[in-house]
Structures are given as structure tokens and as C-alpha cells.
Amino acid sequence: MSGAGTRVGVGTLFRYDGETVEVVEMAATTSGNEVVLKDGRGRLLRLSLKELLFSDRAAVIPEQAGPAADDAEEIASVVLGQLHEDERRKILDRAEHVREVLTGYRSGGQERAREGEPRPEYMPDRPLEAKYASKAAELGVTPRSVKRWVAAFRANGEAGLAPKKGSVGKPGVSADDRWVETALEVMVEHTRESKPSRTMVIERTRARVIARFGPGVVPQPSRTTAFRLLAELEERHPLFRLSTKRNRDIADRPEGPYGKLRPTRPGEYLLMDTTRLDVFAFDPLTLRWVQAELTVAMDWYTRCITGVRLTPVSTKAVDVSAVLYQSFRPRPAGRDWPQHAVWPEHGIPRTVLVDGEGATGPGLASPPLVPETLVIDHGKVYVSEHLTSVCRRMGISIQPARLRTGRDKGPVERFFRTLREGLLQVLPGYKGPDVHSRGESPEDDAFFFLDELEAIIREWTAAVYHCRSHSSLVDPGLPGLRMSPAAMFEHGMARAGYIEVPRDRNLAFEFLRTKWRTIQHYGVEIDRRRYRGPGLPDPGIRSPYDGPVKNGWPFQVDPDDITRIYFRDPSTRAWHTLTWEHAPAAQMPLSEDALVFARKLAASKYRYPDDRLAVADLLKRWNLGLGTTLAERRMALRLSREQAAIELPPVEEPEAAFLPSVRRALGHDARPSEPAPPEPAVEMGDDDEDEEVIDVDDFYADALGDV
């Protein structure tokens, strides 16, 4: 049996830099063994033996045949690893019989001889042919089979006795390679198209094979065989089993190895994305169920959610800027949030505080971070002039993801799935991720308002998501330790030693929408609303700005709170707040939609209405409980909980958060010791009789007409 070794000495041939050389001399020196090589043209070359044996430039040319790394046979561990337990026992038993034929002992040596060995018919001095005949008679096989076992055992040991498996790299079903490659070509062509049937792919493959190679040249597989071939090709290029969207995503995977950004500290990369939620919500103005869009900002290093914004139907650039601003100035935590979900006011984790009492007061919903790089997609709201100008001003780099490549923002995409599976699917109005998962009428259960749904998502993120360990949050020094986003934030602070914080609180106004207006003697008028306040220039002063309005000045407007606007004096660069003349009548934040609704109500009652009468009358009807339509009652509820996108005052926890399903999703107990909240009483006016019963369905049917 030829071994794996070969002789190296004078006369041994090597292949060195593509040429055949011969060893003509070997010498031992103080620096090690050296050899002298001679090539085909008689030139001599002196090398160290170490260089000759271990360099990639040289390879020995063996004199005799033997095992090589490029042999067609698989290695022994691969061959034996494919065997089942019964096959393995059979192979080991057959190897014992072969060793008994060769040595007389089943163990292969006299040192571990069993009782009665060697048997007379397998004595070492007997001829091999006689041993072959004895073993064949013992096992009930032919002597030729025994000879074949012995040859295979001498060549490859026990692995040589294993049964031959199917050929590697070819389909398990036998078919012409040209037909298989053509079928795969047809499947690839349907990647961007609607999902075809297997029968159509088979027919197109047959037609293309005949047109390409001629009739009768390539054997056509039967229908059953063709279906089996397509099932095997499905593993190489999915087309039939998964959804078409998933098949396109698999086809778009990069051919090379995946690369990724590797953040080293909190705030280095901030991921932002918008998705349409799988839960219906109520629009308080139209009383129709709407689809809400959620925009979030996630710190890549910690996976902490630093900003959340829920909008109906369409997200605007100002909403994205509001989410980005929440990373600078987080919103305050809810009134009844658990202690572990609240961040201290300055955003430093509680475990690294020197003064432990600093974490007992009201805290924040997320840690404040100033991002260094913003990773976004190519949506219009993310590449808008508003967002890019704000990022340039703040010194934030923008790194767009590749087109239609969601994996570039993998962590935030995974958060959307975690949100759906951990919270949204237990809420009323859940419709599923696609039409195949949709219920019969999920919109019939949708009674959450947008602000309620946003408050629930914020609390779930702080109380559950930030405190639950993630498989992707690991420390390379402790690969078995799984950390939560909150723990990863502490790890990042200990690693980096600092966090980036905003240098000026007034930077908030730069995230608001800018409107150009002239200054009159009565103040500033925006959409028929008049504002005045200290710091406003005199009407006769010419504007230094060359804006879209002649002699116009820029004012920052928050669409969620129109009771005030903001103005910066161009000479002193100080910010001033201008108040709406009817703001005292509102006594709460008032949005543009609510004002439009109030004007409609006033127009139906007064001959010459104005905003003061409209707002006062609207609030009077709501405060006295005289609203006669469900639309008015829903609007009152919304205004009582109105929250500005930029200014973030403390908010009351909505009643929806006390629902059992919501509390379970948020990780709260069912509060067995507390009595259940009383059922809300039906709102009545002073002129309602006790026996009157308000039918909610009738209110809903007439709501849109009253509006």
C-alpha cells in the first residue's frame, strides 16, 4: 500500500515557480538545512529546505502514486458521517471480517485477540485464496465479493467499505444537464414577473430546448421527472413555494459575502425608517378607520428607540424632523410607567449614577443622543430639502441605503417585526401583515385613536423592548452574554466614556416648518390667525430677507400647536414666542385640523363668525357636554390629549392602556388588587331626559353628515 509520504533527497523533483527543478545537493548549515536545485536549462538555485517544503511557490512531484488532496474520493469523515447507525454497525462488522482474513484476528492484532483466535481456517500461514473461500462460505457471499472488500479496506480502511452514495453536485433525479440549465434559465426570467405555474415553466423549457438544440437532440424528461427536477431547482432559485416579494428579495442578495457597518459607541449611527402599521386606528376628525404610519429612529449600537412618530396615511418631512429632534430632546416618560422603563432626566443609566436619588424623579422615555451619521432610505421625506438642510446645520452625515435593499437597515426592520409580533397582534384592529393573513373585518374593532396607539407603542418600547435581551447585542469578549438595549447603552458609555448631547435647546425651532409672512400693525397673520408678542419688529422696518414673499419674515410654525409661533430676531439672533390672539380661549394645544372643524361649526350657527367665536363656541359645547354628534365628542377627546410634535409636555396615560390585552402586551400585571375602571358614562346635555338612550350606531351613521 502506497502511503502519503514521499522521499526528498538528491534526485527528487519539485515544481518551483511553474518550472520543474531537481535536487542535486543537500547540505546542513548553521542556519538550517539547504538544498541546491537545477532547472531544465542547467541553472542552479540555492534555497533553504524550509522554503522548499512550506512555500506556496514550490510543490513536490512524488515518484509513486498515492493519496492526494484532489482525489475524487471523499474524505473518510464525510463518507462515514453520511451513514445511519445500522449502516455504521454493518460496516464495522464487515471490517472485522476483513481483518480476520488478512491477519487471523478480528481486532487486527494479536495483542487484542479474542477467545479462540486465530481460528484454523484463518491461520496466518494459510493461503489468501483459501481464506477468501472460507469467509465467503461463512457469510454466504461469493469469494469475489470478499476480494473486493479486502481491496477497498486496504485502500481506504472502513470508509472503503461504505456503500456508494449518489454523485455530488448533480440533481438527485437523472436528466440531461442541458434541460436542467434551460429550466433554471426560465425560472430566473420569472423573478420580476408574477408567479407562474410549474406546468408553464416545463412547457417553455421544452420549447426552448427544441429551438436551441434541435428536435430529438436533448432527451425530454417525463412530466413526473420534470416536476421533481423543478423541486430540486427550487432550492437554487426559489420561485413557486414562497411569495413573489420574498423570491425577489432572495434573488437580490449580493453574490459576495455580506458586509456591515460596525458601530463602536452610542450615537455613531442612527437608523430611521417608516412603515405602515398592521393595526387600524380611528381618525378623530373624520371618524373613519385609517392606516397609520410609524416613523422611528434607532441607535444602531444599542438598538434603543430614540424617536417615535405616528401619523395617519402619509408621513411628511416635518414628521421625520420631529422624530430626529426627539433624539436631541426625548419626550418625558408616562405617568404610570414602571420604574425600570424610565431614563433619568440627563439620560445617563441609573446603574452608573453616583447620586442614586437623581433617578427617582420624573424621567425620560429614551436616552438623549446626538447622532453622527443618519442611515436612511431614498423616500421623499428623507431626502427632502427640509431634512437635509437640518442635518447639514447640525453636522449630521447622511448615508443613504441601497435602493430596495432593506437589509442595509436590518436592525430597524427587525424592530418593526418585533413590534408586530410582540404588541400589534394583540391589539384590536390588527389586520395582519398581508391580505392572506387579514381577518374578516378587522376595521370593525378599530377604536384606538392615533395618540392612544402612539402612547401604547412608546410605553411598550420603554417597558418591554428596551429591557429585553437581544440575540444581536453581544460583547465580543463575552460572546455568550445577551444584553438588552438599556444594558448595551451602559456598555457603550463605559466603552466610549461619553455621549453627544445638544449644545443649545433652541436648536429645536430649526426642525419646525418655516412660513414667510409680512409684519402688519396688528402683528402677523398666518391662515387667518393673528399673532403678536415681544420681540416683533415694527411694521415699517424693511425685511433683510429675500424670501418668496415681498418684505416677508420667516416664522417657525408647529402644525400640531397653532396657538403660538416662533420668530428669531435677525439682529440679536434671539428667539421670541408669538401668541395667537385667541389662544386664551383655547386653554390647550390646538391643531390646524381642529380649527377648521371649529370654523365649520361656527359658520352653521353665526352669520358673521370669526375664530374667537368659533373656538369659544366649540369649547363651550364640549365643556358643557352639549355635543350632539359623535364627531364632536371624538374631537374633544383628541384635543384634550393633543401633543405637539416638537414641544413635549408630560401627557396623561390614555384609558386604552388599561385594557387587559394592552397591559399584557406592555408587560404589566392585571392589577388584581385595584378595582376595574368604571364604565364611562354616556355624555348628556342638561336637556336630556333620564329615559333617553343614545344609540352609538346611530351617532356613527350620522357623524359624517353633521361634520
Side-chain angles (χ1 to χ4, degrees):
M1 180 177 62
S2 60
T6 185
R7 170 185 171 275
V8 175
V10 176
T12 304
L13 299 179
F14 281 84
R15 185 172 292 105
Y16 188 77
D17 285 343
E19 295 186 5
T20 301
V21 295
E22 179 184 1
V23 178
V24 296
E25 183 181 352
M26 299 185 65
T29 63
T30 56
S31 59
N33 296 327
E34 295 183 352
V35 295
V36 178
L37 305 177
K38 183 177 68 172
D39 60 9
R41 288 178 287 182
R43 295 178 300 181
L44 299 178
L45 177 64
R46 191 180 187 94
L47 291 176
S48 66
L49 184 60
K50 179 180 179 181
E51 170 72 15
L52 188 64
L53 295 179
F54 298 103
S55 174
D56 294 336
R57 302 170 59 186
V60 64
I61 302 177
E63 298 177 356
Q64 299 178 352
D70 57 354
D71 288 340
E73 294 81 4
E74 293 292 339
I75 60 178
S77 60
V78 174
V79 175
L80 298 176
Q82 301 180 69
L83 301 178
H84 300 292
E85 188 62 30
D86 55 343
E87 292 179 329
R88 186 185 301 273
R89 288 194 299 266
K90 184 178 179 180
I91 293 304
L92 295 178
D93 184 66
R94 183 173 296 177
E96 290 183 352
H97 289 294
V98 172
R99 284 193 290 267
E100 187 177 20
V101 171
L102 296 176
T103 65
Y105 303 94
R106 288 203 169 193
S107 61
Q110 185 178 3
E111 296 79 6
R112 293 181 295 171
R114 300 180 184 178
E115 184 178 356
E117 289 185 346
R119 292 188 289 175
E121 57 269 24
Y122 302 110
M123 295 296 292
D125 55 352
R126 290 199 65 189
L128 280 177
E129 292 295 336
K131 295 181 182 180
Y132 293 157
S134 300
K135 184 59 69 176
E138 178 184 348
L139 300 178
V141 296
T142 62
R144 184 175 180 180
S145 297
V146 178
K147 292 180 181 180
R148 188 172 64 252
W149 294 348
V150 172
F153 183 81
R154 284 176 170 175
N156 299 307
E158 284 84 352
L161 301 176
K164 303 299 182 183
K165 300 292 183 178
S167 58
V168 179
K170 296 183 180 180
V173 183
S174 59
D176 193 285
D177 292 340
R178 292 171 290 183
W179 196 96
V180 174
E181 294 300 327
T182 305
L184 182 61
E185 177 184 320
V186 174
M187 293 174 63
V188 172
E189 292 176 356
H190 284 83
T191 301
R192 305 294 177 185
E193 301 178 3
S194 301
K195 183 184 298 184
S197 65
R198 292 175 174 84
T199 301
M200 188 183 75
V201 173
I202 293 174
E203 294 299 330
R204 289 192 176 184
T205 302
R206 289 177 177 174
R208 187 169 300 183
V209 166
I210 295 175
R212 183 173 297 175
F213 302 102
V217 177
V218 177
Q220 299 284 350
S222 63
R223 180 179 177 84
T224 303
T225 303
F227 271 89
R228 292 177 181 174
L229 288 171
L230 292 185
E232 294 180 356
L233 293 176
E234 178 78 7
E235 302 297 330
R236 299 170 57 182
H237 186 81
L239 182 63
F240 308 107
R241 179 171 50 89
L242 305 174
S243 64
T244 54
K245 182 178 182 299
R246 178 60 175 164
N247 293 334
R248 289 193 297 268
D249 183 67
I250 294 176
D252 291 337
R253 289 174 177 172
E255 297 180 358
Y258 287 1
K260 61 179 297 185
L261 296 175
R262 301 189 181 276
T264 59
R265 59 176 177 82
E268 187 174 2
Y269 294 103
L270 190 72
L271 304 176
M272 294 191 68
D273 200 3
T274 302
T275 187
R276 181 162 293 182
L277 295 184
D278 299 326
V279 174
F280 288 122
F282 251 155
D283 186 347
L285 180 61
T286 64
L287 288 184
R288 293 180 179 272
W289 57 265
V290 295
Q291 289 185 334
E293 288 189 352
L294 177 67
T295 303
V296 300
M298 171 188 285
D299 176 57
W300 196 331
Y301 182 83
T302 63
R303 305 296 199 274
C304 286
I305 303 300
T306 61
V308 174
R309 178 74 170 157
L310 198 65
T311 56
V313 183
S314 179
T315 302
K316 302 179 181 179
V318 66
D319 299 319
V320 176
S321 299
V323 173
L324 183 59
Y325 175 69
Q326 293 177 28
S327 300
F328 285 69
R329 293 179 61 185
R331 301 185 65 169
R335 176 172 53 90
D336 295 331
W337 282 18
Q339 190 65 26
H340 68 272
V342 180
W343 294 76
E345 284 291 349
H346 32 65
I348 300 178
R350 190 173 296 102
T351 57
V352 298
L353 288 176
V354 178
D355 183 9
E357 297 181 357
T360 59
L364 304 176
S366 60
L369 292 173
V370 176
E372 178 180 328
T373 301
L374 190 63
V375 181
I376 59 175
D377 55 21
H378 295 263
K380 292 183 179 180
V381 295
Y382 291 103
V383 296
S384 63
E385 182 178 319
H386 184 99
L387 183 62
T388 54
S389 60
V390 170
C391 290
R392 181 180 296 275
R393 161 74 171 163
M394 304 299 175
I396 302 174
S397 302
I398 297 180
Q399 180 171 333
R402 291 173 293 178
L403 288 172
R404 294 181 296 275
T405 308
R407 66 182 64 89
D408 286 353
K409 306 187 304 300
V412 69
E413 298 288 353
R414 186 61 177 86
F415 168 76
F416 291 147
R417 175 183 171 185
T418 303
L419 176 66
R420 173 170 59 86
E421 296 177 350
L423 175 66
L424 298 183
Q425 68 179 1
V426 303
L427 299 180
Y430 175 71
K431 64 182 181 63
D434 50 48
V435 294
H436 302 288
S437 307
R438 181 187 176 98
E440 183 177 358
S441 55
E443 61 273 12
D444 292 346
D445 298 330
F447 61 88
F448 285 120
F449 294 97
L450 291 176
D451 61 322
E452 292 177 329
L453 187 59
E454 180 177 334
I456 293 173
I457 293 176
R458 288 183 182 276
E459 183 174 354
W460 177 86
T461 302
V464 179
Y465 178 79
H466 282 171
C467 302
R468 186 169 57 188
S469 60
H470 292 199
S471 58
S472 59
L473 294 179
V474 297
D475 185 354
L478 297 171
L481 177 63
R482 298 294 183 266
M483 290 185 286
S484 64
M488 198 66 182
F489 185 86
E490 301 175 12
H491 177 273
M493 285 198 60
R495 180 176 181 177
Y498 70 97
I499 57 174
E500 293 283 346
V501 297
R503 57 182 300 167
D504 191 344
R505 293 174 57 88
N506 290 332
L507 291 175
F509 303 129
E510 301 188 21
F511 290 88
L512 296 177
R513 182 187 305 172
T514 301
K515 289 191 176 182
W516 294 85
R517 293 294 186 272
T518 58
I519 299 177
Q520 306 296 332
H521 64 280
Y522 50 79
V524 179
E525 183 174 346
I526 298 179
D527 297 335
R528 295 189 296 168
R529 303 186 302 270
R530 295 181 178 181
Y531 298 87
R532 288 194 61 88
L536 192 65
D538 294 333
I541 299 179
R542 182 175 180 81
S543 172
Y545 302 99
D546 188 13
V549 178
K550 184 178 180 181
N551 200 30
W553 300 75
F555 299 91
Q556 306 302 108
V557 180
D558 182 5
D560 286 337
D561 186 7
I562 59 174
T563 60
R564 58 181 60 87
I565 61 176
Y566 308 96
F567 169 75
R568 184 166 66 175
D569 192 326
S571 58
T572 63
R573 315 307 291 175
W575 284 93
H576 302 279
T577 301
L578 308 181
T579 306
W580 183 32
E581 59 181 351
H582 302 306
Q587 300 178 353
M588 63 181 66
L590 188 68
S591 65
E592 291 181 344
D593 293 338
L595 181 59
V596 172
F597 182 67
R599 286 171 176 171
K600 288 183 179 180
L601 293 179
S604 62
K605 183 177 180 180
Y606 300 102
R607 184 174 183 179
Y608 302 103
D610 58 12
D611 286 345
R612 182 186 61 81
L613 289 175
V615 174
D617 186 65
L618 179 66
L619 295 178
K620 179 181 178 181
R621 290 161 61 91
W622 284 337
N623 293 334
L624 295 179
L626 297 179
T628 58
T629 65
L630 190 59
E632 297 176 26
R633 300 181 182 187
R634 298 300 191 187
M635 179 59 67
L637 177 61
R638 181 184 186 183
L639 290 181
S640 66
R641 295 168 179 171
E642 192 70 54
Q643 302 170 9
I646 302 302
E647 296 296 333
L648 309 171
V651 295
E652 298 292 334
E653 184 176 7
E655 297 178 0
F658 289 98
L659 294 175
S661 60
V662 176
R663 297 194 62 81
R664 285 195 299 269
L666 296 178
H668 298 328
D669 297 332
R671 293 188 177 182
S673 59
E674 297 182 7
E679 293 291 335
V682 179
E683 298 181 11
M684 300 183 183
D686 296 336
D687 56 347
D688 288 336
E689 298 291 338
D690 295 338
E691 61 271 10
E692 280 189 88
V693 178
I694 298 179
D695 191 347
V696 178
D697 295 335
D698 293 341
F699 272 108
Y700 181 80
D702 300 333
L704 297 180
D706 293 338
V707 175

